[in-house]
Amino acid sequence: MQIVILTGAGISAESGLGTFRDAGGLWSQYDLEEVATPEGFARNPDLVHAFYNARRANCAAATPNAAHRALARLEAALPGQVTLVTQNVDDLHARAGSRAVIQMHGALMRALCAECGHRWPAPATMSPTDRCPACRRAATRPDVVWFGEIPYRMDDIAAALDRATHFAAIGTSGQVWPAAGFVKSARRNGAHCVELNLERSDLAAMFHAQHIGPATEVVPAWVDSLLAQGG
Ligand code: BJW
């Protein structure tokens, strides 16, 4: 069994972290062009840093929930057979005990120098005048992937999708590419594809089955059923 799991903001919703596109989500409060594009950052770095500083504080105060913990349990029970790809920039999978996590949209808790590419643990509060510890230039930014930028570790993800026998998308609306295309790739390669979400997503027809409900309920139950199949 080779299982690829894609998670989105919905898995962290019950830990108190906001989703993007649900009613009351981040994109109803902020203009994504202003806070999640390189052009927005160039126009107003103070605003963008304030947006991510607040989210970093929320993330630090949040704790992993039963869905994060269930995925860590799955990885521990099936060593070498689980690839966890998350679009989330929070660190709740790692704090729940998952080891092999691909954070394709980066990490809130890391800083990146836009000039020299150096990465380091982000301070709680970042500002446009912060200097890179390696090259000393004031070109620091959150190490997250904005619209128009290329997500991380796409080669590793493509290789995992190529060998997948099972694919699960958890708590993601399927509206952002390239992650929205993963189900099609996995399915083309013969994987059994399931969606776990509060509601059917825009991509629902691409999946063989749905598990509808809050992640803290449907994810542990799905993990139990996979392990009962013999792993
Ligand atoms: C629950 C729940 C509970 C709630 N239990 N479920 C035109 C057409 C097609 C594509 C494009 C286009 N124009 C531009 C593009 C490409 C663009 C794109 O996709 N745009 C779309 C808006 C159309 N994509 C990009 O630019 C990407 N780069 C790219 O394509 O590069 C080219 C390239 C790729 C590959 C190889 C080579 C070249 C980059 C995308 C970067 C996205 N960045 C963000 C911000 C990151 C930093 C941050 O966090 O601030 O990533 S945007 C935001 O959306 C964030 C998320 O990771 C991402 C996905 O959101 P997610 O996780 O799905 O959240 P929601 O809120 O949408 O959904 C929540 C779901 O949870 C819902 O379904 C709920 O029902 C559910 N839920 N509570 C279970 N308790």
Side-chain angles (χ1 to χ4, degrees):
M1 198 183 287
Q2 282 293 332
I3 308 164
V4 177
I5 299 165
L6 171 70
T7 64
I11 196 166
S12 296
E14 291 162 86
S15 292
L17 301 183
T19 63
F20 295 93
R21 296 171 184 81
D22 293 317
L26 288 168
W27 294 162
S28 68
Q29 303 164 50
Y30 298 89
D31 179 348
L32 73 83
E33 295 288 340
E34 297 306 322
V35 297
T37 63
E39 295 78 14
F41 184 58
R43 276 192 297 272
N44 194 344
D46 284 301
L47 173 76
V48 176
H49 276 306
F51 174 68
Y52 284 99
N53 288 342
R55 288 182 53 206
R56 196 174 299 111
N58 289 344
C59 176
T63 52
N65 64 46
H68 299 105
R69 288 194 297 274
L71 297 184
R73 181 162 56 88
L74 182 68
E75 182 190 22
L78 301 176
Q81 296 177 65
V82 178
T83 304
L84 178 52
V85 181
T86 187
Q87 298 168 87
N88 299 342
V89 297
D90 67 53
D91 58 356
L92 296 183
H93 284 305
R95 282 202 266 144
S98 287
R99 291 288 160 257
V101 186
I102 298 178
Q103 285 194 284
M104 64 178 290
H105 289 165
L108 201 46
M109 298 303 184
R110 261 194 333 253
L112 167 68
C113 177
E115 290 288 348
C116 76
H118 182 65
R119 291 183 163 85
W120 67 99
T125 303
M126 292 180 70
S127 86
T129 53
D130 291 348
R131 291 190 177 275
C132 167
C135 73
R136 306 304 306 162
R137 283 178 283 193
T140 66
R141 54 168 282 182
D143 188 10
V144 300
V145 177
W146 288 320
F147 286 106
E149 298 183 321
I150 299 178
Y152 297 154
R153 299 186 56 188
M154 289 306 299
D155 290 349
D156 292 334
I157 297 170
L161 290 169
D162 275 349
R163 59 176 186 264
T165 57
H166 293 70
F167 174 79
I170 303 175
T172 177
S173 61
Q175 293 189 29
V176 174
W177 296 80
F182 293 172
V183 60
K184 190 173 179 188
S185 304
R187 201 170 165 140
R188 192 175 48 227
N189 296 332
H192 182 75
C193 299
V194 297
E195 175 171 75
L196 296 87
N197 201 309
L198 264 188
E199 55 189 33
R200 288 167 63 87
S201 75
D202 292 355
L203 300 177
M206 298 290 301
F207 292 87
H208 295 99
Q210 255 81 33
H211 300 263
I212 299 298
T216 54
E217 293 176 17
V218 294
V219 176
W222 173 71
V223 165
D224 287 344
S225 73
L226 261 186
L227 292 176
Q229 283 171 34

